[in-house]
Amino acid sequence: MRISEVHRTTKETDISLSLDLDGSGAGTIETGIPFFDHMLNSFARHGRMDLSIRAIGDLAVDAHHTIEDIGIVLGMALAEAVGDGRGITRFADAAVPMDEALARVALDVGGRGYLVFEGTFSPVGPGGIPGDLIEHFFYSLCNHAGITAHITVTGRNDHHICEAAFKAFGRALRAAVAIDPLISDVPSTKGTL
């Protein structure tokens, strides 16, 4: 069973998250940020992962701490669920169009966190979330999950660009963590991720 549960409390946020990599795509997301809930539900649905998140953050300040910390906790949960990576495909990519927008995501679930994000949002950003905070969410997730990600987005509508990115990340992640029956060990020449 590739399931994990993480609870993290700081002075800024209180986050409980459960994840099932081999789920059906069910999402129960409560972050206090409706647009971000929509993005995380899209990620879970298209990644075919069951994801439950309850987050309480200092939203009176702004959304930064809540979104960043959800990325941290989701990354921790992914790392725990993947474990030593025995039998996973490891590498995968996905391209997802949404009207005029296109997102391309290439992943290496190899134990090293790194993010290359190419593309921009308008100054206001999608759903009122500053665009750089969307990139920061993926940075926090990748860093704590040990995933190298290259995300490229194009388009004119911030909502479409962002949603395509979350869907593409979910689809690529599902493929990268899929168990390959031909791989019985850790997919690395080092013998470890």
Side-chain angles (χ1 to χ4, degrees):
M1 300 292 292
R2 299 186 307 158
I3 296 173
S4 62
E5 291 187 11
V6 178
H7 182 217
R8 181 175 185 262
T9 302
T10 70
K11 291 181 180 180
E12 299 162 338
T13 62
D14 182 8
I15 300 169
S16 295
L17 184 149
S18 65
L19 172 71
D20 181 351
L21 288 179
D22 302 307
S24 63
T28 305
I29 315 293
E30 298 175 15
T31 68
I33 308 164
F35 179 79
F36 198 54
D37 292 355
H38 175 47
M39 293 302 102
L40 291 168
N41 272 305
S42 292
F43 163 80
R45 179 76 173 163
H46 292 277
R48 306 299 296 161
M49 292 169 252
D50 293 344
L51 179 63
S52 175
I53 301 173
R54 185 198 52 80
I56 299 169
D58 58 354
L59 295 177
V61 175
D62 67 14
H64 184 98
H65 298 138
T66 302
I67 291 174
E68 175 184 40
D69 288 4
I70 290 169
I72 290 169
V73 173
L74 180 54
M76 293 166 62
L78 283 165
E80 182 180 310
V82 168
D84 68 0
R86 188 169 306 279
I88 67 168
T89 302
R90 182 175 166 181
F91 302 99
D93 64 300
V96 171
M98 186 167 189
D99 296 341
E100 87 302 338
L102 177 64
R104 290 185 176 96
V105 176
L107 301 180
D108 173 8
V109 182
R112 294 193 309 224
Y114 197 85
L115 174 67
V116 175
F117 191 99
E118 296 179 7
T120 59
F121 296 99
S122 68
V124 174
I129 299 170
D132 65 328
L133 192 48
I134 298 301
E135 179 179 349
H136 191 63
F137 164 78
F138 284 113
Y139 168 82
S140 299
L141 185 161
C142 290
N143 191 40
H144 287 85
I147 295 173
T148 295
H150 287 252
I151 302 172
T152 304
V153 296
T154 61
R156 291 182 306 280
N157 181 290
D158 285 341
H159 185 130
H160 294 166
I161 295 167
C162 193
E163 188 167 346
F166 274 82
K167 288 176 177 178
F169 197 97
R171 290 182 61 84
L173 183 60
R174 175 66 173 192
V177 300
I179 299 297
D180 184 333
L182 301 176
I183 300 173
S184 61
D185 58 358
V186 176
S188 170
T189 55
K190 293 183 293 190
T192 183
L193 291 183

